[in-house]
Amino acid sequence: MVGAGMAGLTAAHRLSGVTEVVILDKGRGVGGRLATRRIGDATIDHGAQFITTHTSEFAELVERLVGEHVVAPWFRGRVGPDGVNDSDGHTRFRGSVSMNAIAKSLAIGLDVRTASQVAALRHDGESWKVALVDGSELVADAVIATSPVPQTIALLQNGEVALAAKDEAALEAIEYDPCLAFMAVLDGPSGLSEPGAVDPVDGPIDWMADNFLKGISAVPAVTIHATPEFSRAQWDAPDEAITEALLVAAQLESAVISGSIQIQRWRYARPSVEHPERFLQLSGVPPFVCAGDAFGGAKVEGAALSGAAAAQAIESALGRNA
Ligand SMILES: Cc1cc2nc3c(=O)[nH]c(=O)nc-3n(C[C@H](O)[C@H](O)[C@H](O)COP(=O)(O)OP(=O)(O)OC[C@H]3O[C@@H](n4cnc5c(N)ncnc54)[C@H](O)[C@@H]3O)c2cc1C
């Protein structure tokens, strides 16, 4: 398994009773875009902000996680430009401690190897050779790759795997929007109203949250996500220029504490063009399934459903059933 984000962790759970599963992730920890950073006393979710459920399958998982105090309701409905809650009937769930803690909880009991970057994926017609950046190699009967698709394509190219024309076209069609994620600790209240989130309609900001009002940070600390347009245009700009533009637009009530600013550049933040199915199994090679939030339904829920469907496809390909 490549990737210990929501898709990889869900797939691994499904497969772990059936076969031996190893999850490799290049990150220092698990979670991928379920990401949280500590800056001083602040806890800041800087990737996915909340989880919604639209399917009974995913709702069951979230309900279980609520029961285990890993997930908690944040607010119900949509946040408008004024922070007003115009209910759409869907609860927005947050991690009780943080969004990343959800992934940590899901990783319990799994063989997850972090700081393990895959460099190339090659096959000999029978099995896959997974080459890591550190020079080691794993042999696998099957692979599920949940890395963002352009990165999966690169891993296959590095292994000189010839893709069938239709698979190549399907993978090349998938696109992502970038996101510049700004984080900072404040010396007082942010000025955001309950529930601590704003979704502006124009300007460079796509989403802004106060992690203190969200209930995860001991001190006021903001997350500001730039729009895809701003993120694309300012991708290579110095942090100072990005900071200035976003803080002018944010109009926070309190000052940013000096030295607390961090910016995460999410190159593959959210899929803008998805594959229509929940996974793509490559043809003409040993079992290999591409999965993740770009397959058949974006967001954390889509990633989980894709991971589950990918696991099922691998079970069938290996001729085993859970
Ligand atoms: C700024 C932002 C805000 C968002 N807000 C929301 C939201 O509010 N609600 C929502 O539902 N969704 C949101 N999303 C989307 C959500 O985070 C994703 O849909 C979901 O987390 C994707 O899970 P995944 O497992 O498909 O991919 P990822 O979480 O990206 O996992 C892929 C993993 O693969 C690993 N990897 C990549 N290449 C390699 C390699 N060569 N070797 C080893 N490991 C590798 C990565 O380190 C990563 O951990 C947001 C995303 C971003 C970036």
Side-chain angles (χ1 to χ4, degrees), residues 111-134:
D111 183 356
V112 186
R113 304 182 191 176
T114 53
S116 300
Q117 182 167 355
V118 178
L121 294 160
R122 57 178 63 89
H123 71 87
D124 58 9
E126 296 276 312
S127 57
W128 286 95
K129 318 281 178 223
V130 181
L132 276 77
V133 164
D134 66 10

Side-chain angles (χ1 to χ4, degrees), residues 53-243:
T53 64
H54 297 84
T55 61
S56 55
E57 190 179 344
F58 189 60
E60 256 174 52
L61 170 67
V62 172
E63 220 169 279
R64 176 168 71 73
L65 293 172
V66 170
E68 293 168 1
H69 308 292
V70 173
V71 163
W74 181 11
F75 62 92
R76 199 175 161 86
R78 278 182 189 283
V79 173
D82 307 320
V84 177
N85 193 332
D86 87 22
S87 184
D88 68 356
H90 284 290
T91 300
R92 269 67 181 163
F93 294 93
R94 62 174 172 85
S96 304
V97 173
S98 68
M99 292 300 278
N100 184 250
I102 301 173
K104 282 191 180 140
S105 154
L106 292 173
I108 292 170
L110 298 175
D111 183 356
V112 186
R113 304 182 191 176
T114 53
S116 300
Q117 182 167 355
V118 178
L121 294 160
R122 57 178 63 89
H123 71 87
D124 58 9
E126 296 276 312
S127 57
W128 286 95
K129 318 281 178 223
V130 181
L132 276 77
V133 164
D134 66 10
S136 60
E137 188 178 86
L138 271 74
V139 178
D141 292 337
V143 172
I144 298 178
T146 66
S147 28
V149 171
Q151 295 177 341
T152 302
I153 294 173
L155 295 178
L156 292 164
Q157 280 170 349
N158 293 348
E160 294 173 0
V161 174
L163 293 174
K166 70 170 177 27
D167 292 343
E168 190 173 3
L171 293 178
E172 295 285 357
I174 294 168
E175 290 178 17
Y176 296 80
D177 278 334
C179 178
L180 294 171
F182 170 94
M183 297 157 258
V185 186
L186 306 181
D187 68 2
S190 65
L192 270 66
S193 48
E194 293 281 354
V198 184
D199 194 352
V201 281
D202 50 26
I205 298 178
D206 198 31
W207 168 268
M208 180 157 65
D210 177 333
N211 293 277
F212 176 74
L213 289 176
K214 187 176 186 180
I216 63 161
S217 181
V219 294
V222 286
T223 303
I224 303 177
H225 287 158
T227 60
E229 298 72 31
F230 181 90
S231 300
R232 231 174 243 114
Q234 300 298 318
W235 190 256
D236 295 318
D239 284 5
E240 295 72 24
I242 294 166
T243 297

